[in-house]
Amino acid sequence: MTGLPRDVIRWLQNLELSVQPMNVRRDFSSGYHVAEIFSRYYPREFEMLSYSKGLSLSAKLDNWNKIRRSLQKLRLHLMEKIVYGTLHCKVGAAELLVQQVYTILTKHRIRGLPSLEMDFTDQKHQKLLPTVARPTANTTLNSNLRLTEIMALPDTRTNQRRAEAIICKHLQEKAAQTLPERAGRSNLIKPRLTQMTSNGDEKHSSGDNTPKLCSQSTLGVAVSSYKTITVNQPPRRYVHSC
């Protein structure tokens, strides 16, 4: 139930559903709990005996089609983008759907409810992670393009375009996030180099005539003195052969 406001959670608990939803993304994808919530307010239009608790794609599509027809009779409307994201277990879609149902049935508005521009991907979560911990293009594709989407629309060209769009967006964000890190590293290195060269220039101007770019002390290298050792070798004797 994480991701839902307290008022919405309290409202769901007071409805006394047949099964209390624990995982919002998984439990609301079939549409059964959505129909059960509406049946508490409109029992004639939503007969629960006609809805299935199955998790197969065909059962989910059948439940959502019945929900759409019942809502049309009541002149109510759910955003298709949110319904699509909930059906295919998109990130954050089920939470928005429950909040929209809460607003329709209770006439109470929730602060911070997103507008029509919604992106049901894991990009917000990935931006919080460091560059090393972010997923690869393959993992991003698997998490943002569900198997149920491919099964619902088995068109090779359409699915290929979806995959290309996800990979292209992943590469663009990866490149955009890598450049500032490199620029930050260079900005950290440049002041150190300027400081080392300035220290060398100060020593040069104080009376040292030997030209130096930077001394060993500024570079952090330990200066050690070396002692010359002389080795006395014995004279060589040459043996003449007969």
Side-chain angles (χ1 to χ4, degrees):
M1 299 290 287
T2 57
L4 294 177
R6 289 184 177 180
D7 296 337
V8 179
I9 296 176
R10 194 178 300 116
W11 171 69
L12 289 175
Q13 292 174 351
N14 293 331
L15 290 176
E16 296 182 357
L17 302 177
S18 59
V19 178
Q20 191 67 26
M22 301 300 294
N23 190 331
V24 180
R25 190 188 308 178
R26 179 195 61 199
D27 296 338
F28 283 91
S29 63
S30 63
Y32 181 84
H33 290 296
V34 179
E36 190 175 8
I37 292 172
F38 278 106
S39 67
R40 296 292 189 269
Y41 293 84
Y42 305 100
R44 294 183 179 179
E45 287 75 9
F46 291 88
E47 297 180 358
M48 296 309 301
L49 294 177
S50 60
Y51 290 90
S52 173
K53 293 183 180 180
L55 297 178
S56 62
L57 180 60
S58 59
K60 291 181 180 181
L61 293 174
D62 186 50
N63 287 342
W64 283 108
N65 289 331
K66 292 177 181 178
I67 292 173
R68 290 189 185 95
R69 289 194 296 266
S70 300
L71 291 177
Q72 288 177 359
K73 294 178 182 179
L74 298 171
R75 295 182 179 180
L76 300 176
H77 177 69
L78 290 176
M79 297 174 61
E80 285 296 329
K81 191 172 184 180
I82 298 180
V83 173
Y84 179 85
T86 305
L87 172 62
H88 298 293
C89 298
K90 294 287 187 177
V91 178
E95 290 81 359
L96 292 180
L97 178 75
V98 176
Q99 295 179 37
Q100 188 180 12
V101 173
Y102 170 81
T103 304
I104 292 173
L105 296 177
T106 62
K107 308 300 181 183
H108 295 162
R109 291 187 178 181
I110 302 175
R111 295 181 180 180
L113 190 64
S115 60
L116 295 175
E117 297 180 358
M118 291 168 289
D119 185 18
F120 299 128
T121 59
D122 57 349
Q123 297 298 330
K124 292 182 180 180
H125 173 68
Q126 300 303 330
K127 289 181 180 179
L128 300 176
L129 299 176
T131 308
V132 182
R134 286 168 191 165
T136 59
N138 188 19
T139 307
T140 305
L141 181 62
N142 292 331
S143 59
N144 294 317
L145 184 61
R146 301 290 181 178
L147 180 61
T148 53
E149 295 183 77
I150 301 175
M151 295 173 60
L153 186 60
D155 187 8
T156 305
R157 293 183 179 180
T158 304
N159 294 324
Q160 185 177 2
R161 291 173 184 174
R162 291 178 180 176
E164 290 176 354
I166 293 172
I167 294 175
C168 182
K169 187 176 181 180
H170 170 76
L171 295 177
Q172 288 177 355
E173 292 188 356
K174 185 177 180 180
Q177 293 166 0
T178 305
L179 291 176
E181 292 181 358
R182 293 180 178 177
R185 293 174 184 174
S186 61
N187 292 332
L188 291 174
I189 295 173
K190 287 179 181 179
R192 295 179 182 177
L193 293 176
T194 55
Q195 184 179 3
M196 289 189 296
T197 54
S198 62
N199 292 335
D201 294 337
E202 291 177 359
K203 290 184 178 181
H204 179 67
S205 60
S206 62
D208 190 3
N209 295 326
T210 57
K212 296 180 181 179
L213 292 177
C214 53
S215 61
Q216 292 180 347
S217 60
T218 58
L219 291 175
V221 181
V223 179
S224 58
S225 58
Y226 298 95
K227 184 178 180 181
T228 305
I229 300 174
T230 57
V231 179
N232 296 324
Q233 297 182 356
R236 296 181 179 180
R237 295 180 181 180
Y238 297 96
V239 179
H240 297 279
S241 60
C242 299

